[in-house]
Tab-separated table of all heavy atoms in Angstrom:
chain	number	residue	atom	x	y	z
A	30	VAL	N	1.217	31.953	-2.249
A	30	VAL	CA	0.093	32.806	-2.560
A	30	VAL	C	0.186	34.124	-1.785
A	30	VAL	O	0.428	34.161	-0.608
A	30	VAL	CB	-1.287	32.140	-2.270
A	30	VAL	CG1	-2.454	33.076	-2.593
A	30	VAL	CG2	-1.352	30.843	-3.054
A	77	CYS	N	5.446	34.326	-6.946
A	77	CYS	CA	4.291	34.269	-6.024
A	77	CYS	C	2.975	34.448	-6.850
A	77	CYS	O	2.924	35.068	-7.868
A	77	CYS	CB	4.374	35.359	-5.007
A	77	CYS	SG	5.602	35.041	-3.713
A	99	THR	N	-0.319	19.568	-5.143
A	99	THR	CA	0.054	20.941	-4.848
A	99	THR	C	-0.324	21.284	-3.392
A	99	THR	O	-1.276	20.800	-2.829
A	99	THR	CB	-0.642	21.980	-5.750
A	99	THR	OG1	-2.085	21.867	-5.588
A	99	THR	CG2	-0.295	21.727	-7.208
A	112	THR	N	-6.793	32.598	-7.127
A	112	THR	CA	-5.447	32.077	-6.908
A	112	THR	C	-5.421	30.565	-6.587
A	112	THR	O	-4.359	29.986	-6.485
A	112	THR	CB	-4.781	32.771	-5.705
A	112	THR	OG1	-5.624	32.608	-4.540
A	112	THR	CG2	-4.577	34.238	-6.001
A	116	ASP	N	-7.045	22.420	-10.992
A	116	ASP	CA	-6.930	21.081	-11.604
A	116	ASP	C	-7.836	20.097	-10.817
A	116	ASP	O	-7.626	19.853	-9.624
A	116	ASP	CB	-5.482	20.606	-11.497
A	116	ASP	CG	-5.270	19.369	-12.341
A	116	ASP	OD1	-6.018	18.362	-12.131
A	116	ASP	OD2	-4.323	19.310	-13.146
A	156	GLY	N	-2.641	25.935	11.875
A	156	GLY	CA	-2.044	25.623	13.132
A	156	GLY	C	-2.911	26.037	14.316
A	156	GLY	O	-3.734	26.990	14.209
A	176	LEU	N	2.520	16.332	6.233
A	176	LEU	CA	3.005	15.025	5.863
A	176	LEU	C	1.927	14.030	5.598
A	176	LEU	O	2.034	13.238	4.651
A	176	LEU	CB	3.944	14.542	6.999
A	176	LEU	CG	5.257	15.323	7.119
A	176	LEU	CD1	5.966	14.968	8.476
A	176	LEU	CD2	6.179	15.107	5.951
A	221	ASN	N	-6.123	-1.321	-17.042
A	221	ASN	CA	-6.115	-2.764	-16.801
A	221	ASN	C	-5.479	-3.538	-17.960
A	221	ASN	O	-5.819	-3.240	-19.101
A	221	ASN	CB	-7.507	-3.301	-16.556
A	221	ASN	CG	-8.137	-2.780	-15.264
A	221	ASN	OD1	-8.797	-1.771	-15.258
A	221	ASN	ND2	-7.804	-3.407	-14.126
A	239	ASP	N	15.920	-13.898	-18.615
A	239	ASP	CA	17.368	-13.636	-18.539
A	239	ASP	C	18.061	-14.931	-18.027
A	239	ASP	O	17.936	-15.243	-16.861
A	239	ASP	CB	17.624	-12.471	-17.639
A	239	ASP	CG	19.088	-12.062	-17.595
A	239	ASP	OD1	19.965	-12.897	-17.863
A	239	ASP	OD2	19.377	-10.902	-17.188
A	268	SER	N	9.493	-37.020	-5.999
A	268	SER	CA	10.892	-37.465	-5.792
A	268	SER	C	11.823	-36.244	-5.631
A	268	SER	O	11.435	-35.101	-5.967
A	268	SER	CB	11.304	-38.234	-7.044
A	268	SER	OG	11.379	-37.407	-8.179
A	289	LEU	N	6.844	-9.430	-16.786
A	289	LEU	CA	5.531	-9.062	-17.305
A	289	LEU	C	5.037	-7.765	-16.691
A	289	LEU	O	4.411	-6.941	-17.388
A	289	LEU	CB	4.510	-10.179	-16.979
A	289	LEU	CG	4.562	-11.457	-17.858
A	289	LEU	CD1	3.767	-12.535	-17.263
A	289	LEU	CD2	4.084	-11.116	-19.246
A	301	PHE	N	13.920	-10.462	-27.933
A	301	PHE	CA	12.486	-10.466	-27.591
A	301	PHE	C	12.070	-9.036	-27.282
A	301	PHE	O	11.825	-8.662	-26.126
A	301	PHE	CB	12.282	-11.397	-26.406
A	301	PHE	CG	12.710	-12.833	-26.687
A	301	PHE	CD1	13.815	-13.357	-26.041
A	301	PHE	CD2	11.935	-13.646	-27.522
A	301	PHE	CE1	14.206	-14.669	-26.293
A	301	PHE	CE2	12.292	-14.914	-27.762
A	301	PHE	CZ	13.451	-15.489	-27.139
A	344	ARG	N	18.543	-6.092	-1.723
A	344	ARG	CA	17.455	-5.355	-1.218
A	344	ARG	C	16.874	-4.427	-2.323
A	344	ARG	O	17.650	-3.794	-3.039
A	344	ARG	CB	17.802	-4.482	-0.049
A	344	ARG	CG	18.047	-5.281	1.238
A	344	ARG	CD	18.992	-4.609	2.227
A	344	ARG	NE	20.350	-4.773	1.745
A	344	ARG	CZ	21.438	-4.262	2.364
A	344	ARG	NH1	21.235	-3.595	3.471
A	344	ARG	NH2	22.625	-4.396	1.880
A	393	TYR	N	-5.350	-23.504	27.456
A	393	TYR	CA	-4.574	-22.281	27.769
A	393	TYR	C	-5.508	-21.075	27.874
A	393	TYR	O	-6.435	-20.886	27.015
A	393	TYR	CB	-3.529	-22.031	26.668
A	393	TYR	CG	-2.773	-20.731	26.807
A	393	TYR	CD1	-1.805	-20.603	27.787
A	393	TYR	CD2	-3.012	-19.685	25.928
A	393	TYR	CE1	-1.058	-19.423	27.913
A	393	TYR	CE2	-2.320	-18.491	26.090
A	393	TYR	CZ	-1.350	-18.369	27.066
A	393	TYR	OH	-0.661	-17.192	27.155
A	395	LEU	N	-6.003	-17.332	27.296
A	395	LEU	CA	-5.406	-16.224	26.607
A	395	LEU	C	-5.234	-15.016	27.567
A	395	LEU	O	-6.073	-14.830	28.442
A	395	LEU	CB	-6.289	-15.807	25.402
A	395	LEU	CG	-6.356	-16.722	24.242
A	395	LEU	CD1	-7.395	-16.334	23.235
A	395	LEU	CD2	-5.047	-16.882	23.553
A	399	ALA	N	-4.290	-10.464	23.923
A	399	ALA	CA	-5.043	-11.556	23.353
A	399	ALA	C	-6.169	-12.033	24.252
A	399	ALA	O	-6.934	-12.956	23.881
A	399	ALA	CB	-4.160	-12.712	23.043
A	405	HIS	N	-6.899	-15.286	13.336
A	405	HIS	CA	-5.884	-16.047	12.655
A	405	HIS	C	-5.761	-15.542	11.248
A	405	HIS	O	-6.681	-15.731	10.428
A	405	HIS	CB	-6.155	-17.526	12.725
A	405	HIS	CG	-5.013	-18.402	12.386
A	405	HIS	ND1	-5.138	-19.785	12.297
A	405	HIS	CD2	-3.727	-18.154	12.069
A	405	HIS	CE1	-3.987	-20.311	11.983
A	405	HIS	NE2	-3.094	-19.360	11.810
A	431	HIS	N	12.916	-0.789	2.137
A	431	HIS	CA	14.133	-1.640	1.811
A	431	HIS	C	15.439	-0.926	2.108
A	431	HIS	O	16.437	-1.570	2.381
A	431	HIS	CB	14.004	-2.101	0.360
A	431	HIS	CG	14.305	-1.032	-0.639
A	431	HIS	ND1	13.369	-0.180	-1.119
A	431	HIS	CD2	15.454	-0.707	-1.314
A	431	HIS	CE1	13.892	0.656	-2.012
A	431	HIS	NE2	15.140	0.361	-2.097
A	469	GLY	N	5.013	-11.413	17.493
A	469	GLY	CA	4.126	-10.567	18.220
A	469	GLY	C	4.748	-9.221	18.556
A	469	GLY	O	5.980	-9.110	18.496
A	483	GLY	N	-24.558	-0.899	-6.150
A	483	GLY	CA	-25.336	0.205	-5.820
A	483	GLY	C	-24.581	1.223	-4.957
A	483	GLY	O	-25.077	2.385	-4.717
A	489	GLN	N	-12.372	-0.936	4.475
A	489	GLN	CA	-12.411	-1.389	5.889
A	489	GLN	C	-11.038	-1.243	6.476
A	489	GLN	O	-10.027	-1.585	5.821
A	489	GLN	CB	-12.832	-2.821	6.014
A	489	GLN	CG	-14.262	-3.085	5.470
A	489	GLN	CD	-14.592	-4.588	5.658
A	489	GLN	OE1	-14.182	-5.387	4.825
A	489	GLN	NE2	-15.350	-4.878	6.655
A	555	LEU	N	-4.651	6.084	5.374
A	555	LEU	CA	-5.542	5.399	4.492
A	555	LEU	C	-6.886	6.131	4.370
A	555	LEU	O	-7.459	6.226	3.290
A	555	LEU	CB	-5.849	3.961	5.011
A	555	LEU	CG	-4.696	2.950	4.749
A	555	LEU	CD1	-4.951	1.682	5.579
A	555	LEU	CD2	-4.558	2.603	3.290
A	560	ALA	N	-10.345	9.449	0.999
A	560	ALA	CA	-11.159	10.714	0.751
A	560	ALA	C	-10.694	11.277	-0.563
A	560	ALA	O	-11.566	11.758	-1.396
A	560	ALA	CB	-10.966	11.667	1.889
A	581	TYR	N	-14.383	20.087	2.313
A	581	TYR	CA	-15.711	19.777	1.682
A	581	TYR	C	-16.501	18.843	2.534
A	581	TYR	O	-17.764	18.923	2.651
A	581	TYR	CB	-15.472	19.173	0.295
A	581	TYR	CG	-16.671	18.925	-0.553
A	581	TYR	CD1	-17.219	19.866	-1.459
A	581	TYR	CD2	-17.300	17.621	-0.489
A	581	TYR	CE1	-18.285	19.586	-2.210
A	581	TYR	CE2	-18.389	17.345	-1.289
A	581	TYR	CZ	-18.882	18.320	-2.127
A	581	TYR	OH	-19.974	18.062	-2.925
Side-chain angles (χ1 to χ4, degrees):
V30 178
C77 285
T99 63
T112 57
D116 188 308
L176 291 169
N221 292 94
D239 184 338
S268 67
L289 283 167
F301 301 107
R344 287 154 286 179
Y393 175 73
L395 292 172
H405 195 182
H431 74 276
Q489 299 180 280
L555 285 167
Y581 184 91

